[in-house]
Amino acid sequence: MFNKGCWECGKELDISIQICSNCGYNFNSAPHIKPKCPYCKKELHIYDFYATKIDKKRHQKFQGFKGEYTRRKKMWYCPFCGSILGFSEWNTS
């Protein structure tokens, strides 16, 4: 579902892959950098894009995507400034 680009060669990889199969770059060796909104420059986290609720046992439960759905696509927008960040396809089945 989520992809990342290799910092050395630019190859598109699954987000769970730790070593690039093209150039051998190790993502664990670099310091962790959080993505930032290109418009307001605030740091983003995947939890910012989903509505959550705390249950009686103080566990966090996900309730749904905060963005909008347009013609079989999810529209991702910055939760801080409201600028559109991108679109992704979603499964209808």
Side-chain angles (χ1 to χ4, degrees):
M1 179 173 168
F2 293 106
N3 294 326
K4 63 183 174 184
C6 178
W7 296 351
E8 292 293 318
C9 66
K11 182 179 178 181
E12 194 78 17
L13 302 167
D14 187 69
I15 200 159
S16 63
I17 294 176
Q18 298 301 317
I19 297 175
C20 179
S21 59
N22 191 33
C23 67
Y25 179 76
N26 186 352
F27 289 93
N28 292 328
S29 65
H32 180 69
I33 299 171
K34 289 187 178 179
K36 292 185 177 184
C37 173
Y39 304 103
C40 68
K41 305 298 183 203
K42 292 195 177 182
E43 290 184 348
L44 301 170
H45 192 275
I46 191 69
Y47 296 127
D48 295 333
F49 298 101
Y50 289 92
T52 59
K53 178 183 176 184
I54 308 268
D55 65 4
K56 293 178 184 178
K57 295 181 181 178
R58 313 253 329 136
H59 294 109
Q60 192 174 26
K61 301 264 184 181
F62 291 100
Q63 291 192 315
F65 180 66
K66 284 185 184 176
E68 297 178 24
Y69 296 97
T70 60
R71 293 191 180 184
R72 296 187 183 205
K73 292 187 184 244
K74 285 184 180 178
M75 183 174 73
W76 297 79
Y77 64 89
C78 176
F80 303 107
C81 67
S83 300
I84 297 173
L85 299 174
F87 297 88
S88 64
E89 295 183 19
W90 58 285
N91 193 355
T92 58
S93 56

